Amino acid sequence: MISPFSVETVLALTQSGAKDETAEEIRAGLRLPNSTEKTESVYASLLPNLRGNEHYALHTANKIYVKNSYPLNEGFKNIASNVYQSGIENIDFSQKTEAADSINGWVEKQTEDKIHNLIDPKSLGEDTRVILINALYFKGKWVYPFEPLATNKQNFYKTASEVVQVDTMHNTDLYYYYESPELNAKFLQLPYEGDDVSMVIVLPNEKEGLAALEGQIENVFAAPKFSLERVSVSLPKFTIENKVQLKKILKNLGVDKAFTDEADLSGIAGKKGELVISDVVQKAFINVTETGTEAAAATAGVFRSSKLFFAEFAWFDVHIVNFSAVEFDPEFDLKTFVADHPFLFYIKIKDIALFAGRVSSPTLV
């Protein structure tokens, strides 16, 4: 599981301080707009409006921790504060435990105590200069909740031959639904209260079809040709907590110079080659139940006096509708959607991918 939004936010802020080929590689790898100015314009419009309402909770926050007496570029500080709404705080990274506790405490507060120990004290040191952090929290209720009394133990096929019993939720209602012959998979959109947020489940038709589906991941996240159908849904309750190191992903995306002494992050601080990224790490959490979903993530980019890395983001263009206005038509043919084997999911709000992941075992923690 990963939060594309959280990763991209940290890296978008980073590219605001990157120059020349270093900046170009980040923008190309992350599919950001083709200039720093355009990227900043997107975030200047987006962040003030990415908030919860009376229907769901949504909170995102950015923070920059800077080594005591380390001078950040004034222009970068202005962009961080005015565009990315980031706080800036000086800290003594040489006091590893105290510094990690302070940073992790901020993350816990921003994520409603769902993300812990994002920063390992061992990752800090005398050469740590800057840490950029994004925190994200979401909690929403289904428009069509699952009846708790209907939840029962059913088989979940981790593989065609490995079966476990899991708590499985059931409901029949009107959902946006699509069957893709090209991907050999079914799509189901589960709306949350609030009209502009939903979870999409992508279920391969074959019990061991997840690998093939992930091999066509760009097509998976293209806009499905949804139609409104009456669907009988069986979905396991699931909880996922994980930590992802993103260096390998970023290198595969072509973000290379930022990891070397050729990195030019002089827009953040120092001269070309002086500041590099040593690590980008994310922790994420999700809990899906009969009433809705609670999810959180936090991403940290750690900058040292030499090495760099980032992660992939996708803007998923999935149609979201006002489900509260949909009327039930008894003449709809009944479709079935039984998620009894590994599947993919993603959560979108205002056409932004907040979270995405796979469920290969609903009891995964």
Side-chain angles (χ1 to χ4, degrees), residues 284-349:
F285 164 88
I286 190 169
N287 184 36
V288 175
T289 69
E290 291 90 350
T291 57
T293 301
E294 186 174 27
T299 305
V302 180
F303 295 67
R304 296 184 182 276
S305 47
S306 255
K307 199 166 120 218
L308 160 40
F309 71 84
F310 299 82
E312 185 174 18
F313 175 88
W315 294 86
F316 303 142
D317 183 19
V318 180
H319 181 54
I320 297 177
V321 300
N322 184 340
F323 284 86
S324 61
V326 174
E327 297 294 335
F328 178 74
D329 184 344
E331 296 184 2
F332 277 98
D333 292 332
L334 182 66
K335 305 290 186 179
T336 59
F337 191 94
V338 181
D340 64 353
H341 53 279
F343 57 86
L344 303 177
F345 70 88
Y346 55 93
I347 296 176
K348 279 179 52 87
I349 186 167

Side-chain angles (χ1 to χ4, degrees), residues 69-332:
S69 302
Y70 188 70
L72 289 184
N73 181 295
E74 287 298 323
F76 180 75
K77 289 199 291 186
N78 288 336
I79 290 169
S81 298
N82 298 328
V83 175
Y84 293 91
Q85 302 181 352
S86 177
I88 301 174
E89 181 178 330
N90 291 107
I91 197 166
D92 184 357
F93 290 119
S94 67
Q95 300 297 315
K96 298 181 180 182
T97 301
E98 291 82 355
D101 286 348
S102 178
I103 296 169
N104 291 334
W106 181 85
V107 170
E108 290 168 9
K109 181 178 180 180
Q110 302 303 320
T111 61
E112 299 294 331
D113 206 34
K114 291 295 179 286
I115 303 298
H116 302 95
N117 301 319
L118 176 67
I119 299 296
D120 184 343
K122 295 178 182 178
S123 69
L124 305 178
E126 293 286 349
D127 60 348
T128 306
R129 296 293 181 263
V130 179
I131 296 181
L132 308 185
I133 295 184
N134 169 267
L136 175 66
Y137 176 79
F138 168 76
K139 186 174 184 179
K141 296 180 180 179
W142 304 121
V143 170
Y144 308 124
F146 296 85
E147 172 54 57
L149 292 178
T151 298
N152 59 9
K153 295 286 186 182
Q154 292 201 346
N155 287 341
F156 186 91
Y157 295 83
K158 297 174 68 174
T159 67
S161 58
E162 185 179 359
V163 184
V164 294
Q165 289 272 300
V166 301
D167 288 330
T168 303
M169 308 179 294
H170 305 277
N171 193 37
T172 299
D173 220 310
L174 288 183
Y175 294 99
Y176 269 77
Y177 173 87
Y178 173 60
E179 296 180 5
S180 171
E182 296 81 11
L183 294 173
N184 194 26
K186 298 177 180 179
F187 290 71
L188 181 72
Q189 185 166 285
L190 303 173
Y192 298 99
E193 292 181 358
D195 300 338
D196 56 359
V197 56
S198 69
M199 174 183 282
V200 175
I201 307 290
V202 189
L203 179 69
N205 291 330
E206 304 298 329
K207 285 184 169 57
E208 295 188 349
L210 190 64
L213 200 58
E214 292 181 330
Q216 305 179 73
I217 199 68
E218 290 192 9
N219 294 328
V220 168
F221 292 122
K225 300 174 183 177
F226 281 126
S227 61
L228 191 61
E229 304 285 352
R230 184 171 178 242
V231 187
S232 175
V233 179
S234 296
L235 179 70
K237 298 171 66 172
F238 63 91
T239 299
I240 300 173
E241 294 183 52
N242 66 342
K243 185 173 185 177
V244 182
Q245 303 287 346
L246 297 165
K247 183 174 183 177
K248 183 178 180 181
I249 294 173
L250 295 168
K251 282 186 169 291
N252 289 340
L253 291 171
V255 181
D256 188 57
K257 288 188 179 300
F259 294 95
T260 72
D261 291 339
E262 297 180 17
D264 190 347
L265 297 169
S266 57
I268 297 176
K271 299 178 181 179
K272 179 180 178 180
E274 177 180 332
L275 190 66
V276 297
I277 297 181
S278 63
D279 204 359
V280 174
V281 61
Q282 182 181 102
K283 295 192 78 171
F285 164 88
I286 190 169
N287 184 36
V288 175
T289 69
E290 291 90 350
T291 57
T293 301
E294 186 174 27
T299 305
V302 180
F303 295 67
R304 296 184 182 276
S305 47
S306 255
K307 199 166 120 218
L308 160 40
F309 71 84
F310 299 82
E312 185 174 18
F313 175 88
W315 294 86
F316 303 142
D317 183 19
V318 180
H319 181 54
I320 297 177
V321 300
N322 184 340
F323 284 86
S324 61
V326 174
E327 297 294 335
F328 178 74
D329 184 344
E331 296 184 2
F332 277 98

Side-chain angles (χ1 to χ4, degrees), residues 46-84:
L46 171 65
L47 291 177
N49 296 306
L50 199 61
R51 299 174 180 174
N53 55 34
E54 67 272 21
H55 299 292
Y56 57 80
L58 176 64
H59 175 72
T60 185
N62 298 315
K63 188 72 175 283
I64 301 176
Y65 289 91
V66 187
K67 179 182 178 180
N68 287 337
S69 302
Y70 188 70
L72 289 184
N73 181 295
E74 287 298 323
F76 180 75
K77 289 199 291 186
N78 288 336
I79 290 169
S81 298
N82 298 328
V83 175
Y84 293 91

